[in-house]
Structures are given as C-alpha cells and as structure tokens.
Amino acid sequence: METPLKVYKGLEGIYVLDSSLSFIDTENGKLYYVGYDVEELVARSNYEEVAYLLLNHKLPTMSEFSAFLGKLRDEMRLGEEELEVVRFVSKRSGGMDALAAYFIMTQKDAVGEVSPMDSAVRAVGKAGSVLGNVIRVQRGDDTLNPDPSLGIAGNLVYLITSEKPQPYQVEFLDDILILHAEHGVPASTFGSVVTASTLSNVYSSIVTGIMTLKGPLHGGAAEAAYQQFLEIGDPDRVESWLERALSERRRIMGFGHRVYKIYDPRAKVVKAMAAKASEIAGGHVKNLYEIALRLEEAALAKLAPKGLFPNLDFWTPMVYTAVGIPPNYFTAVFAVSRIVGWVAHLLEYWKDNRLIRPLHNYVGPPVGQKYVPIEARH
Amino acid sequence: METPLKVYKGLEGIYVLDSSLSFIDTENGKLYYVGYDVEELVARSNYEEVAYLLLNHKLPTMSEFSAFLGKLRDEMRLGEEELEVVRFVSKRSGGMDALAAYFIMTQKDAVGEVSPMDSAVRAVGKAGSVLGNVIRVQRGDDTLNPDPSLGIAGNLVYLITSEKPQPYQVEFLDDILILHAEHGVPASTFGSVVTASTLSNVYSSIVTGIMTLKGPLHGGAAEAAYQQFLEIGDPDRVESWLERALSERRRIMGFGHRVYKIYDPRAKVVKAMAAKASEIAGGHVKNLYEIALRLEEAALAKLAPKGLFPNLDFWTPMVYTAVGIPPNYFTAVFAVSRIVGWVAHLLEYWKDNRLIRPLHNYVGPPVGQKYVPIEARH
C-alpha cells in the first residue's frame, strides 16, 4: 500500500518565492512596499514614485526620479499604429481583454534589443493611455492623444472625461493606483511569474496577469461589490437584503480575503477615501457609500467571528465612481495599477530564474487500459 | 530567532492537483492518457478521438464520436468576422501571439450562455483553422476557408500547403498532435489552471497557456533544436560542435526534462517517425535527421550519466519539416495540440475549484522604513 501523496490544492500556505517587494503583516493589519508603510506612501508619495520603488527596490533621488519620469512620459504617448490597434481591439473585447490584446499585438516592444526593465517601464507607461482610449472608443468617442504631463492618474482621468481633471479626481485615482500596485503573489502575480519562468517575455507575462485578474474570485470583486450595492439600492434595505443573502448562503462581495483574517489595511484607507468621495460627489456615490457603510456594520456582526472583514474591493466602488470610472472598467484600472507589481516580480524572479513545473497526483483509471476498436465499444 | 521558511521555488516535487488525465511513468518511461498507453493511441487512434478521451475521460462509442466530430467540424469553420480578426492580428504578431490574440478577441464565444465544455470544444476546433490562416497571411497569401472534412491534422496541412494533403503528412501531423495533447502540469498547463482558478473563462485560460508555452524553456525548445541542427549544418561537424558547446557550457537543445530522467517515451515514438520522415522527404529533412542521430549518440555518451536524454523536442523538427511546417510555427502547432490538455485540466479543476493563492517569503529591508522627502534623499 502506498502512502497517499500530499496535494497542495490552491497552494494554500505554500511559499513559492522570495521577494523584497511587499510584506503583508497579517497580525497587525499592515502592508509595506519595500519596507515602506503603504498608508504613508498614500499620504506622501505618488504612483510614479511607488512604481520606481517597486522596480528599483529603493526610493529615487531627484535626478533618478526625473530621468524615470522622462522615460515614463515618453512611453505614455501612443502613436497612430498603436491607436489603430486600440480601435480594433476595443470593438471586439471588454476593457480587460482589450488591454491584454494591446500587449499581445505590440509584443515587438518587449523583445529583441529591449531590456526587460525598459519593456517593464514601457508597459507601466502605456497601460493607462491604452485603457483610457479603450473606454473612449467603446462608448463611441474618438481616440484622444494622452497628456503625459498630467501623470498616470491625471492622464487617465483626462482621457475618460475629455476634460482637465479636478485635483480630487487625480488624488483619488493616484491613491487607488498606489494601493493596488503590489500584494505579494495572488493568482494574477503568481500566474505572471509562472509565464515568466519559461523565459517568456515581459508583455506575455502581463497578458497572463490580466487574464487571471479578470476572474470574479480575484480582480472582478470590486465590480461585483458595486452591483451588490446597486441590488440593495437603498440603505434601509440593507438588513433585509443581508438576512436573505446569508440564508441563501450567498457570498457577500467585498468581504473576506485569503490572506487577511483581520481588517484589510488597504480597505481602511479606501474607506476613508470613500467617505470623502461621498461628500464631494454626493448623489449616487453618497447613496452607494451609505449602503456600504450600513452593510459593513450589519455584515460584520455576522461575519467578523468567521474572520471575514471588508477587503479593498468593498470600498473602492465609491471612489472609482467619484473619479468617473464606469463599473465595467474597475478591474481594468486595477490591472493598470498592478502591472507594475507583476513586472517588478518577474524582474526579481529572473535574477535567479527557476522554471515552475509542479506535479499532479494521478487519480484516473488503472494504466494499461486495453484499446478496444470503436466498433466494439458499447 | 525565527526558523527560516521553506520556499518551494519552481514548485519542484510539489503536487498541486489531482488529475485523471495522464500518468507519467518516469521509472518505465511510459505515458498514459486516462489509462491508455500513448504509444498505442498513436498507433491506433487519432487526435479527435484523443481529444474526446481527454475531455470526457473515456473513449467514445460510435454515436458519441460522430456527435463530437459534428460539433468539432462546425467549430473548425471560420466566418468572415473571424477571418478579419485573423488578418489583423497576423500582421502584428508571430504565430503564437496571433493565436492568443484570436482567443482574446473572440472571448464572446466563451462566455454567457456558452457552457465551459462547449467553449472547450470550440477552442479545439478553431485553433488549427486559425493557425493555418495565420501562417498563410504572414507569408503574404490570402486566407482560405478550412476544410473540416479533412480532420484537424489534414485541414491544417491543407491550409498551409493549399493542396490536398498527402496521407503521410496527415499521419505524421496527427501523431504529433496526439503526442503533444497532454502532459500533466508543466508551466503552461499549470498557468492555465491558475487563471481558471479565479473563475476566469476557458478562452482566457487558453491565452495564459499560450503566453507560457511560448517561453524558450518550455514550448520553444523544438524550434531551438532545429536552429541548433542548422548551426551544426553537417553530420560530420557534430563531434567538434558538441565539444565546443560543452566546453562553453551551452545547453544542448532537446536534451533533458524536469520529469524524465530516462528516455522520454514520446521522444522514442517521434524518433521512429523522424527516421521515416527522413526517408520520405529526403534532402533537407534527411540532413537534419542525420545530424540529430549523430548528435544524439555523441551527446548521450556525455549527458546520459547526468540523467539528460533526448526529449520530444529533439526529434519533432524533422517531422514538422516533412509535414511542411516552417520552424517559426513549431511552437504554435504544439499549442494547437495542447489546447485540449489545457481545457481538459480546467474542466476537471472546476469540478472542485480552489483559488490558487500561494505565499511569498519577504526578504526585503526591515519594515517601517522612514519616508524621507525626495529633496532630502541622497
């Protein structure tokens, strides 16, 4: 009799790599990028500087940052050929798919003479300009030339709204981008690293990240939380809705996280942003926020004892909405931000690459089955 | 002092899932699909039947097979809209990227009312028709309507050559497709499952598979072996080339495999096919074969003691070339075949889905770094 094999399904609790990029302090509910508290980065830094930090494992000096920003701004521009790709893919695919299709069809930008770091910076620069134009084309507008001087967050707001962005929009989106930039090895990042481990290129690994982040158990959660708030519709209906949802054993979207068994530190920050967004934007955003607030209170009473707390995705819908991002693009904005996490991980992994090649436990019929010709099968 | 964490880099030796699809008998050098010896399937079955076996975990009866073939043939057709996508992506991407871009831009075929099994069968049917047309467009020819009556292998040869395929071409390609259909959880299949574990869809998971298979440490090996044979150029130069290559510590392409430490059972089958291909096609194929044969002998003497033996990719270049497939599309033909393995795995995984979410070991600077304003950094 053979010892049964241990199968690590879901890879829960399995450490797959060393990384300097983030530390998730699940005991104290803290998240650090390269040693810096993310709450402090949100308060004092900006997405571009955080991108530098993740790609270079240190904060830049003035001259380093200015050189980095110069490169990034060059990459934020889109040429006519790139816009043609954007127009074609936008007609056929949702936001996430269009973004992925863009990276597949511009693969020449990631191979040959281009260093992995250069194509990483290129991807970080292009992503927002591509997504902004995808959103434009899909709602029937013409493409618009990016304005790199606005920075990554400001440019994305500009492309979506066709107007010079309000400072609060830029600040909200910039903070959202910082908070989504990196989080260890969730499925999308780990998938990117699996792709990278075959020495496939930076863009291919990003495509894997996007295909994986798309899933409703992963990046799709913020949009699902938004739809849930819409379904509830009114703060006064929260309690009855929750009672029914729990009795039907439905998942409360935006609650629970594989890693955090306490309050997600990012959610704490975004909750405060959502409160501010509700005040500034009022109306629909305020209504969503009030629903969320009341749902949090009611749900916590039932779910906190099970270790389920609101995560990042519970609070972002209000902020995205205040910024002007339609719900079907929430996940794509997440992708625009997380690209830097994906590429930072693969640059790090390649320093000591090891092909990822696990094993499976065979549970099928005994081997040596007799092949019976089809005429004789029944 | 803390105990150092165990990091399973490369996931070597880690079992990540249960599967009924294949058993790799590394001791006896045998490979089984759902209990059937692959050598027997190559000798007696065909790719379509093997696809049915992997998707349904049993061989079909006559009526089951005829229904399956009907569906598959419907899916092999490409409409004008699909051909337009093929033409657009072919101008911008290599074979693998074009195939992936096709699956991204036709995602509507994999969502909504479409069952996962139906979109799996659709993908298996479309892949060869898409690749054949990508090859046509990229060499400057018009697209051509697939001929589903020729079967998947025959239709691909037809699209590539524009002629009714020779029986030996169909047989070779069909055998190649069977041999590449499934092989447990290499990086591409595992990557597909990582994507699928977020409940992303069948097509998205295929895209991840393609992005991952592309890597030179994975599906790219057959083309690299071909280039290596070209570089050697003449059987008489094998020994001097090998001596230099080994002294420069270069990797011998097509030698060694993470799983097999003895002769790859698939390589054994393809070696015999390569001998036959060399006889039938003569000329260039014969020269490649003679180089490969002599390189195998010389390299085995040095590498067998290290557990390095020729793998599948060492012998396929001669067979692909005899069939008429240009070397820059070898990996894409591998993908066309392996799609059924990817989708079979994810259909199986979804029966008891578990989000894949491993952990990383933080090795960065101590957390709580002080954020110094950029003006004060040096």
Side-chain angles (χ1 to χ4, degrees):
Chain A
M1 208 174 127
E2 300 194 18
T3 322
L5 291 171
K6 171 84 182 131
V7 175
Y8 298 91
K9 203 167 166 188
L11 289 177
E12 194 158 356
I14 294 288
Y15 291 82
V16 293
L17 45 82
D18 292 322
S19 174
S20 298
L21 297 175
S22 61
F23 179 71
I24 306 173
D25 181 347
T26 53
E27 265 173 59
N28 303 301
K30 284 283 192 185
L31 173 63
Y32 301 88
Y33 294 166
V34 198
Y36 294 93
D37 188 330
V38 166
E39 284 181 58
E40 192 169 15
L41 293 174
V42 166
R44 305 181 64 187
S45 183
N46 54 68
Y47 180 69
E48 284 82 351
E49 188 177 72
V50 167
Y52 185 96
L53 172 67
L54 291 169
L55 291 171
N56 298 283
H57 301 199
K58 70 188 248 334
L59 286 173
T61 62
M62 290 259 240
S63 67
E64 285 165 343
F65 194 47
S66 132
F68 180 72
L69 276 186
K71 272 192 194 181
L72 211 53
R73 287 180 182 160
D74 284 347
E75 298 298 359
M76 287 170 72
R77 290 174 225 286
L78 297 175
E80 185 41 45
E81 164 73 4
E82 287 166 305
L83 288 172
E84 194 192 331
V85 170
V86 168
R87 283 188 288 265
F88 188 87
V89 303
S90 297
K91 272 185 274 179
R92 285 164 181 79
S93 318
M96 289 293 268
D97 294 328
L99 201 55
Y102 172 86
F103 283 110
I104 289 190
M105 280 194 283
T106 55
Q107 289 256 351
K108 59 174 174 12
D109 290 349
V111 294
E113 300 292 292
V114 190
S115 76
M117 177 60 92
D118 282 349
S119 60
V121 173
R122 180 167 291 170
V124 172
K126 297 289 181 201
S129 296
V130 170
L131 177 62
N133 273 297
V134 166
I135 294 175
R136 297 182 64 81
V137 173
Q138 293 188 338
R139 70 176 181 223
D141 287 338
D142 282 340
T143 53
L144 183 63
N145 282 326
D147 182 349
S149 72
L150 297 171
I152 287 180
N155 176 57
L156 181 50
V157 177
Y158 165 67
L159 292 176
I160 293 173
T161 61
S162 310
E163 282 169 24
K164 196 174 164 337
Q166 300 292 320
Y168 79 87
Q169 293 177 303
V170 181
E171 197 191 315
F172 277 154
L173 185 54
D174 195 66
D175 290 350
I176 286 282
L177 294 178
I178 293 175
L179 286 162
H180 286 81
E182 157 59 16
H183 204 244
V185 279
S188 57
T189 307
F190 182 52
S192 281
V193 173
V194 170
T195 296
S197 81
T198 70
L199 302 184
S200 197
N201 66 40
V202 171
Y203 274 28
S204 300
S205 303
I206 290 171
V207 171
T208 291
I210 297 172
M211 293 294 100
T212 310
L213 186 65
K214 267 177 70 177
L217 297 189
H218 193 359
E223 186 184 346
Y226 177 90
Q227 298 300 343
Q228 166 182 277
F229 301 148
L230 275 198
E231 188 190 316
I232 297 172
D234 186 296
D236 285 336
R237 279 203 287 274
V238 160
E239 288 77 10
S240 58
W241 180 91
L242 180 66
E243 202 175 322
R244 209 183 53 236
L246 290 175
S247 77
E248 289 168 359
R249 298 179 165 278
R250 282 171 64 182
R251 194 190 178 90
I252 310 303
M253 301 312 298
F255 258 74
H257 194 282
R258 177 79 70 88
V259 169
Y260 296 113
K261 302 303 171 202
I262 55 172
Y263 214 102
D264 181 337
R266 303 167 301 171
K268 221 164 36 184
V269 177
V270 186
K271 185 180 174 183
M273 288 166 63
K276 224 168 124 188
S278 150
E279 260 179 61
I280 295 173
H284 179 49
V285 176
K286 193 164 191 293
N287 189 46
L288 290 173
Y289 175 68
E290 284 168 358
I291 292 169
L293 210 57
R294 199 141 151 192
L295 179 58
E296 179 190 36
E297 195 189 342
L300 271 179
K302 313 268 188 184
L303 300 177
K306 297 182 185 169
L308 298 174
F309 291 85
N311 58 43
L312 183 64
D313 305 309
F314 191 81
W315 296 109
T316 52
M318 283 63 80
V319 184
Y320 284 134
T321 305
V323 169
I325 295 158
N328 53 326
Y329 298 104
F330 289 177
T331 318
V333 175
F334 185 167
V336 164
S337 162
R338 182 60 57 88
I339 280 173
V340 76
W342 296 332
V343 298
H345 270 281
L346 60 94
L347 291 173
E348 190 181 39
Y349 194 81
W350 278 339
K351 283 184 198 156
D352 180 29
N353 188 65
R354 180 84 180 126
L355 176 66
I356 293 177
R357 206 303 174 199
L359 298 172
H360 72 280
N361 177 36
Y362 181 67
V363 294
V367 300
Q369 296 287 313
K370 198 174 143 50
Y371 182 91
V372 176
I374 191 163
E375 307 78 29
R377 288 178 211 149
H378 46 82
Chain B
M1 207 175 128
E2 302 193 17
T3 323
L5 291 169
K6 171 82 183 136
V7 174
Y8 296 92
K9 201 165 168 190
L11 289 178
E12 193 157 356
I14 294 288
Y15 291 82
V16 292
L17 46 82
D18 291 322
S19 174
S20 297
L21 297 175
S22 61
F23 179 72
I24 306 173
D25 181 346
T26 52
E27 263 173 59
N28 303 300
K30 285 282 193 184
L31 172 65
Y32 301 87
Y33 294 165
V34 199
Y36 293 93
D37 188 329
V38 166
E39 283 182 58
E40 192 169 14
L41 293 173
V42 166
R44 304 181 65 187
S45 184
N46 54 68
Y47 179 69
E48 284 82 352
E49 188 176 73
V50 168
Y52 184 97
L53 173 67
L54 292 169
L55 292 172
N56 299 282
H57 301 197
K58 70 187 247 333
L59 285 174
T61 63
M62 288 258 243
S63 67
E64 285 166 341
F65 194 48
S66 130
F68 179 73
L69 276 185
K71 273 193 195 180
L72 210 52
R73 286 181 183 158
D74 284 347
E75 299 297 358
M76 287 170 71
R77 291 175 224 286
L78 297 175
E80 184 42 43
E81 164 74 4
E82 287 166 304
L83 288 172
E84 195 193 331
V85 171
V86 168
R87 283 188 287 264
F88 189 88
V89 303
S90 297
K91 270 185 273 175
R92 283 162 182 80
S93 317
M96 288 293 268
D97 294 327
L99 201 55
Y102 172 86
F103 282 110
I104 289 191
M105 281 195 281
T106 56
Q107 289 255 353
K108 60 174 173 13
D109 290 349
V111 293
E113 300 292 289
V114 190
S115 76
M117 178 61 92
D118 282 350
S119 60
V121 173
R122 180 166 291 170
V124 172
K126 297 289 181 204
S129 295
V130 170
L131 177 62
N133 273 298
V134 166
I135 295 175
R136 297 182 64 80
V137 172
Q138 293 188 337
R139 70 175 181 224
D141 286 339
D142 283 340
T143 54
L144 183 63
N145 282 324
D147 183 348
S149 73
L150 296 172
I152 288 179
N155 176 57
L156 181 51
V157 176
Y158 165 68
L159 292 175
I160 293 173
T161 61
S162 312
E163 282 170 23
K164 194 174 166 334
Q166 300 292 318
Y168 79 87
Q169 292 177 303
V170 181
E171 197 191 314
F172 278 152
L173 185 55
D174 195 66
D175 291 349
I176 286 282
L177 293 179
I178 293 175
L179 287 162
H180 287 80
E182 157 59 17
H183 204 245
V185 279
S188 57
T189 306
F190 183 53
S192 282
V193 173
V194 170
T195 296
S197 81
T198 70
L199 302 184
S200 196
N201 67 39
V202 172
Y203 274 29
S204 299
S205 304
I206 290 171
V207 171
T208 292
I210 297 172
M211 292 293 100
T212 310
L213 187 65
K214 268 176 70 176
L217 296 189
H218 193 357
E223 186 183 346
Y226 177 90
Q227 298 300 344
Q228 167 183 275
F229 300 149
L230 275 198
E231 187 189 317
I232 297 172
D234 186 296
D236 286 337
R237 279 202 287 273
V238 160
E239 288 76 12
S240 58
W241 179 91
L242 179 67
E243 202 174 325
R244 210 183 51 236
L246 291 176
S247 76
E248 290 167 359
R249 299 180 165 277
R250 282 171 63 182
R251 195 190 178 90
I252 309 304
M253 300 314 296
F255 258 73
H257 193 282
R258 176 79 69 90
V259 169
Y260 297 113
K261 301 301 171 204
I262 56 173
Y263 214 103
D264 181 337
R266 304 166 301 171
K268 220 163 39 186
V269 177
V270 187
K271 184 180 176 183
M273 287 166 65
K276 225 167 123 186
S278 149
E279 258 178 60
I280 295 173
H284 179 48
V285 176
K286 193 164 192 296
N287 189 46
L288 290 173
Y289 175 69
E290 284 168 0
I291 292 169
L293 208 58
R294 199 142 151 191
L295 179 58
E296 179 191 35
E297 195 189 339
L300 271 178
K302 314 270 188 183
L303 302 176
K306 298 182 185 170
L308 299 173
F309 291 85
N311 59 43
L312 184 63
D313 305 309
F314 190 82
W315 296 109
T316 52
M318 283 62 81
V319 183
Y320 284 133
T321 305
V323 170
I325 294 158
N328 51 326
Y329 298 104
F330 289 176
T331 318
V333 174
F334 185 167
V336 164
S337 162
R338 181 59 59 87
I339 280 174
V340 75
W342 296 332
V343 297
H345 270 280
L346 58 95
L347 291 173
E348 190 180 39
Y349 193 81
W350 278 339
K351 284 184 197 158
D352 180 29
N353 189 65
R354 180 85 180 124
L355 176 66
I356 293 175
R357 206 306 175 196
L359 298 171
H360 73 280
N361 178 36
Y362 181 66
V363 294
V367 299
Q369 295 288 313
K370 197 173 144 46
Y371 183 90
V372 175
I374 191 162
E375 307 78 30
R377 288 178 211 150
H378 45 84

